[in-house]
Amino acid sequence: MSKTVELVPGTLPLLVLRLLSDGDAHGYAIARRIEDLSEAVLSVEQGSIYPALYRLERAGFVNSQKGVSDTGRPVKVYKITSSGRKHLEVEMSSWNAFVHAMSRVIRRRA
Amino acid sequence: MNWVSKMGFRVKAILRRDAVLRDIEQDIRQHITLEQERLRAEGLSGREARDLARNRFGNVTRLQQELQSISGVKPRAERHGGGSLIKDFKHSVRSLMKAPAYSAAVVVTLSIALGANMVMFSVAENVLLDDAGVRYPSEVVSIHNFIPQLGEGMRRQPVHGSFFDRFTRLEGIEYVAGFRTEFFNFSADDRPVRLEGLRTTPDLFRVAGVSPMIGVGFPEGLVGNEKVVVLSHKVWSSLFGADPAIVGRLVNFNGEPYEVVGVMPADFGFPRGIDVPSAFHFPDRPDLWIPHQVPLRGPSDLGVVARVVGEGGVALLQERLDALTEAVVEENSGWDGFATHRVLPIQEQAVGQIRPIIVGLFAATGLILLVAAANVSGVSFTRGYERSNQLAIRVALGASRWMVVRYLLFENAILAIGSVAGGLAVGWASAEILQSVAPEGIRGLDTLAISVKSFVFVALLGTLSAAIFGAFPSIKLSELASMGTLSTQRVSGQTTARMGDWVVGGEVAVTVVLVLVSGLLFRTVVGLLENEPGFDPVGVMVAEVTLPEASYPDAARAQSVQRARSRSETEGAVSQFYRLFLNDLREHPDVTHAGAVSPIPMGGTQEASAMWLEGMDPGASAPVIELTVASEGYFEAMGLDLLEGRTFDTSDRHDGLFTAVISESVANMWPNGAAVGSRLKLGGVPDGPREWRTVVGIVGDVRRGNLAEIGRPEVYFPLTQGGYTSLSTMHLVVRGRAGVSAEIAARATRDALRQVNASLPLEKVSGMENLIERQVSREKLAMQLLAAFSTTSLLLSVLSLYSVVSHSVNSRRREFAIRQAVGASPGSVLLGVMLRAGGSVFIGGLTGVLVVAFLSPVIGGFLYGVKPLEVGVVAVAVFTVFFVASVAAYVPAIRVTRIDPVECLRVE
């Protein structure tokens, strides 16, 4: 397995929301997408996306309904809400600001 | 999220907890399954796929908990604690199971006390509340002839027939009925049975206000010679198989056919023997009722019951009766002193004698329960004190005072339930035992039934005592616990000790009272039984035989003085029967003497009459004597002392000289002492219609009605010259050879009876000694119960004293160790402990004696031959209690001498 990187704490909800903004998905699918898109660099315990999902749901940024997986298993399918989208925008811009700031500082040192 | 949606979320979480928990589980499971499937598809083996899927998912349990807490639901594991009530309950059960000695002590103590109360309640219910099925018991009275000159227990005599007709015309009486007993021999499957019936005027059932259960009862307009009968429920079901078509059937009583016209309800048994003042053979409950002649003729003596009208009816009737007495005496001075009539409500009569005993015993059981509750209260306080650290920790951890109380109350509730169950068991068992050991002759005990009411009573009492023993210590302890552990120690130690002293003192007081009173009753019973009865009951069998008047016409009481007076030319059928029967019996090798008598000592009361002595001053008032009819051989069979002259023998013939045997106290009425050969006559005047009788012998006085009284004047007439009283039922008195049991004598008697008349049953076979024992049945029952109660109470005191002393020794170990360390001898420390225990025992004992002294006027009424504060009895009772108390205190107290000061102080 190639080199992996620990996820920055508190960023998992952002990832989840971002993925859901592409389309509805169940928990497993989200976990798979994170692995695929990060080309398995981001090391996420698959289970840890559930606390993120539950918290988002409790905060009203996503909601869930019953559905089936591609393989026909009963799963909970999550959908981003409009307040979730707004929240995503805010989070994304602050993330971008964070990354921008971080890289400016880091590049200069390097 | 605002507070409304927060609330909503919480509510939803609570309401939908199971669904949420299921969702979480499902999410996790499906996720792992999906990953597993994918990995399998990539070519991993099933096992590898599963392990890797789990590994990549992470820690399932931790995640599950995290998700549950995010969702706001409590994890399942915690839920097993359940509601705090159930938790408390479980906790209480556990902690009780950890202290089996304590739990057992409490349950046993309370069970015994509750059981005693249950028995008393049932006794009271059965004995006091029985009203023979009468509809309006408060309006029903009996009327009796009151003759103050007669001995105690004899003063209440049956009513003379001539008065009965006057009663029917009295104002204030709604219905009145007169009746007398009649025995009926009935052949049930060729086995002769004697039934105790009443011949009664028709209004008896109206007095009772009860109609037959089947049939209509006596027809209207009876004259009294109708052959109809109303059966008791008992006879109907036992002898006639509860035949529903019994009405109209002819049944044979005493060889004559009677038409059944009714069956009374099961609870109807009126009038009871106890309702009749002078019970010369009144049955306890009648088996059947047949009509009595109306209007009454002749001097038939009657039991009389009446229903009075409304409020104050009893007093009004008494006034009317007094007025009647005056009028009669004015008319005929011969009635002076014999015409007084008294009214007695049947409720008073039935329970009057036994009520004080029952009330007293109830008080005793009540005290025992109180003592038991106090005892348990003390024990649970002591235990609580020992646990006060635990309780204080609970408080420190945030338990409220109410929570501590609730926790303690739970324990008590569990113990109370156990105690009630135990109490019911003890009560039921004791009632069974009581029925088997109880002396004969106490009404209502033989059918002692444990009713629903008594169950409820015990349950209530148990709850109440749980409240008493539970609430106080719980509240006190929670108070202490909330003060904190350290301060608890000292306060609680002192409080416990003080409470313990009170409990011990109170228990000892109650115990002394109970032991003392049961000791006094024991002396009473022994004293009564030690009284020489004036005859020799050992080896004597007694029984009753009833001759039906139809075939033995002279068995009936003479309806006119003339008939009785005239010497009969021919021997009466009764006399002949007994002559043949007794002669046969005397020839039996096991029998030495045999005779017949009516009434028998200790078995019913007699007729009383004025008696005129020949040569007495015509202005003097005639003494009153009691009349007995006896056959030849009676005096020898019963073993009376012959003081002068002879007893009855074959020379006392129906056509011979009229004779009499008199008792010593009658002989003393002759001024010159020469009674034998002198003459006497019944009636208060020298020229009365009765015949003169010559005294042929003097016998010793006997105790007749009861064991306490002796020396009532008694005159015996020979059976051959009878006719004053009914001779229908006589008592057989058979003395067997030495070593012959009552059973053998009874068999010999039965054989002889069958020879003479096979249709006659032999009834009430018993040893004469049993008849005497029955006389003290009331005292004996009270004594037995009280002895049981005082043992219980003593036991409770022992338990309590033991626990108090043992607690005090334990909690003061350090103090004792210091004392011994600074030079006190173990003996002096022991003495100190014993003195402290002795102090409360002494004060308790003294209180007990004072209580008895205070109650002595009441207690004295039940005693015979012993004073309430008889020194010997008090000494024995007090010594017993003190001795037992000392042992109970010494056993735990001796431990102080085994305290090793060095060891003890180092540990502390």
Side-chain angles (χ1 to χ4, degrees), chain B residues 874-886:
Chain B
V874 173
V876 169
V878 170
F879 176 77
T880 307
V881 174
F882 277 29
F883 176 75
V884 173
S886 319

PDB file of all heavy atoms in Angstrom, chain B residues 874-886:
ATOM      1  N   VAL B 874     -46.153 -14.359  91.604  1.00  0.00           N
ATOM      2  CA  VAL B 874     -45.389 -13.195  91.148  1.00  0.00           C
ATOM      3  C   VAL B 874     -43.902 -13.528  91.190  1.00  0.00           C
ATOM      4  O   VAL B 874     -43.166 -13.259  90.232  1.00  0.00           O
ATOM      5  CB  VAL B 874     -45.691 -11.960  92.039  1.00  0.00           C
ATOM      6  CG1 VAL B 874     -44.761 -10.816  91.668  1.00  0.00           C
ATOM      7  CG2 VAL B 874     -47.142 -11.552  91.897  1.00  0.00           C
ATOM      8  N   ALA B 875     -43.476 -14.154  92.281  1.00  0.00           N
ATOM      9  CA  ALA B 875     -42.056 -14.470  92.429  1.00  0.00           C
ATOM     10  C   ALA B 875     -41.602 -15.391  91.300  1.00  0.00           C
ATOM     11  O   ALA B 875     -40.583 -15.140  90.656  1.00  0.00           O
ATOM     12  CB  ALA B 875     -41.805 -15.124  93.793  1.00  0.00           C
ATOM     13  N   VAL B 876     -42.389 -16.440  91.042  1.00  0.00           N
ATOM     14  CA  VAL B 876     -42.002 -17.388  89.995  1.00  0.00           C
ATOM     15  C   VAL B 876     -41.952 -16.692  88.643  1.00  0.00           C
ATOM     16  O   VAL B 876     -41.000 -16.839  87.876  1.00  0.00           O
ATOM     17  CB  VAL B 876     -42.980 -18.587  89.955  1.00  0.00           C
ATOM     18  CG1 VAL B 876     -42.747 -19.419  88.699  1.00  0.00           C
ATOM     19  CG2 VAL B 876     -42.817 -19.442  91.195  1.00  0.00           C
ATOM     20  N   ALA B 877     -42.990 -15.887  88.350  1.00  0.00           N
ATOM     21  CA  ALA B 877     -43.060 -15.216  87.050  1.00  0.00           C
ATOM     22  C   ALA B 877     -41.872 -14.268  86.884  1.00  0.00           C
ATOM     23  O   ALA B 877     -41.161 -14.309  85.876  1.00  0.00           O
ATOM     24  CB  ALA B 877     -44.377 -14.454  86.929  1.00  0.00           C
ATOM     25  N   VAL B 878     -41.650 -13.439  87.904  1.00  0.00           N
ATOM     26  CA  VAL B 878     -40.575 -12.456  87.809  1.00  0.00           C
ATOM     27  C   VAL B 878     -39.221 -13.160  87.737  1.00  0.00           C
ATOM     28  O   VAL B 878     -38.361 -12.809  86.934  1.00  0.00           O
ATOM     29  CB  VAL B 878     -40.637 -11.485  89.008  1.00  0.00           C
ATOM     30  CG1 VAL B 878     -39.389 -10.621  89.068  1.00  0.00           C
ATOM     31  CG2 VAL B 878     -41.890 -10.618  88.898  1.00  0.00           C
ATOM     32  N   PHE B 879     -39.076 -14.199  88.555  1.00  0.00           N
ATOM     33  CA  PHE B 879     -37.803 -14.915  88.550  1.00  0.00           C
ATOM     34  C   PHE B 879     -37.545 -15.532  87.171  1.00  0.00           C
ATOM     35  O   PHE B 879     -36.452 -15.421  86.623  1.00  0.00           O
ATOM     36  CB  PHE B 879     -37.782 -16.000  89.621  1.00  0.00           C
ATOM     37  CG  PHE B 879     -36.523 -16.818  89.593  1.00  0.00           C
ATOM     38  CD1 PHE B 879     -35.344 -16.311  90.118  1.00  0.00           C
ATOM     39  CD2 PHE B 879     -36.507 -18.071  89.011  1.00  0.00           C
ATOM     40  CE1 PHE B 879     -34.174 -17.050  90.065  1.00  0.00           C
ATOM     41  CE2 PHE B 879     -35.349 -18.817  88.946  1.00  0.00           C
ATOM     42  CZ  PHE B 879     -34.165 -18.299  89.481  1.00  0.00           C
ATOM     43  N   THR B 880     -38.581 -16.159  86.624  1.00  0.00           N
ATOM     44  CA  THR B 880     -38.444 -16.783  85.303  1.00  0.00           C
ATOM     45  C   THR B 880     -37.968 -15.761  84.278  1.00  0.00           C
ATOM     46  O   THR B 880     -36.986 -15.974  83.555  1.00  0.00           O
ATOM     47  CB  THR B 880     -39.793 -17.361  84.828  1.00  0.00           C
ATOM     48  OG1 THR B 880     -40.296 -18.211  85.851  1.00  0.00           O
ATOM     49  CG2 THR B 880     -39.648 -18.139  83.539  1.00  0.00           C
ATOM     50  N   VAL B 881     -38.670 -14.636  84.242  1.00  0.00           N
ATOM     51  CA  VAL B 881     -38.333 -13.616  83.252  1.00  0.00           C
ATOM     52  C   VAL B 881     -36.918 -13.089  83.493  1.00  0.00           C
ATOM     53  O   VAL B 881     -36.122 -12.958  82.565  1.00  0.00           O
ATOM     54  CB  VAL B 881     -39.369 -12.475  83.273  1.00  0.00           C
ATOM     55  CG1 VAL B 881     -38.936 -11.357  82.361  1.00  0.00           C
ATOM     56  CG2 VAL B 881     -40.733 -12.998  82.879  1.00  0.00           C
ATOM     57  N   PHE B 882     -36.595 -12.824  84.747  1.00  0.00           N
ATOM     58  CA  PHE B 882     -35.263 -12.281  85.052  1.00  0.00           C
ATOM     59  C   PHE B 882     -34.171 -13.286  84.727  1.00  0.00           C
ATOM     60  O   PHE B 882     -33.125 -12.937  84.206  1.00  0.00           O
ATOM     61  CB  PHE B 882     -35.177 -11.874  86.529  1.00  0.00           C
ATOM     62  CG  PHE B 882     -35.735 -10.505  86.790  1.00  0.00           C
ATOM     63  CD1 PHE B 882     -36.754  -9.998  85.985  1.00  0.00           C
ATOM     64  CD2 PHE B 882     -35.254  -9.711  87.801  1.00  0.00           C
ATOM     65  CE1 PHE B 882     -37.277  -8.738  86.201  1.00  0.00           C
ATOM     66  CE2 PHE B 882     -35.767  -8.446  88.021  1.00  0.00           C
ATOM     67  CZ  PHE B 882     -36.770  -7.959  87.232  1.00  0.00           C
ATOM     68  N   PHE B 883     -34.456 -14.544  85.033  1.00  0.00           N
ATOM     69  CA  PHE B 883     -33.440 -15.566  84.774  1.00  0.00           C
ATOM     70  C   PHE B 883     -33.164 -15.669  83.276  1.00  0.00           C
ATOM     71  O   PHE B 883     -32.019 -15.612  82.834  1.00  0.00           O
ATOM     72  CB  PHE B 883     -33.905 -16.913  85.325  1.00  0.00           C
ATOM     73  CG  PHE B 883     -32.960 -18.032  85.013  1.00  0.00           C
ATOM     74  CD1 PHE B 883     -31.756 -18.157  85.703  1.00  0.00           C
ATOM     75  CD2 PHE B 883     -33.254 -18.946  84.021  1.00  0.00           C
ATOM     76  CE1 PHE B 883     -30.875 -19.182  85.410  1.00  0.00           C
ATOM     77  CE2 PHE B 883     -32.381 -19.976  83.719  1.00  0.00           C
ATOM     78  CZ  PHE B 883     -31.183 -20.089  84.413  1.00  0.00           C
ATOM     79  N   VAL B 884     -34.255 -15.783  82.531  1.00  0.00           N
ATOM     80  CA  VAL B 884     -34.103 -15.904  81.085  1.00  0.00           C
ATOM     81  C   VAL B 884     -33.423 -14.660  80.526  1.00  0.00           C
ATOM     82  O   VAL B 884     -32.535 -14.731  79.673  1.00  0.00           O
ATOM     83  CB  VAL B 884     -35.478 -16.140  80.405  1.00  0.00           C
ATOM     84  CG1 VAL B 884     -35.349 -16.092  78.900  1.00  0.00           C
ATOM     85  CG2 VAL B 884     -36.049 -17.472  80.852  1.00  0.00           C
ATOM     86  N   ALA B 885     -33.806 -13.492  81.059  1.00  0.00           N
ATOM     87  CA  ALA B 885     -33.219 -12.233  80.600  1.00  0.00           C
ATOM     88  C   ALA B 885     -31.727 -12.206  80.901  1.00  0.00           C
ATOM     89  O   ALA B 885     -30.927 -11.765  80.073  1.00  0.00           O
ATOM     90  CB  ALA B 885     -33.927 -11.064  81.269  1.00  0.00           C
ATOM     91  N   SER B 886     -31.342 -12.685  82.078  1.00  0.00           N
ATOM     92  CA  SER B 886     -29.929 -12.646  82.422  1.00  0.00           C
ATOM     93  C   SER B 886     -29.123 -13.495  81.463  1.00  0.00           C
ATOM     94  O   SER B 886     -28.044 -13.099  81.019  1.00  0.00           O
ATOM     95  CB  SER B 886     -29.696 -13.188  83.840  1.00  0.00           C
ATOM     96  OG  SER B 886     -30.673 -12.739  84.704  1.00  0.00           O
TER      97      SER B 886
END
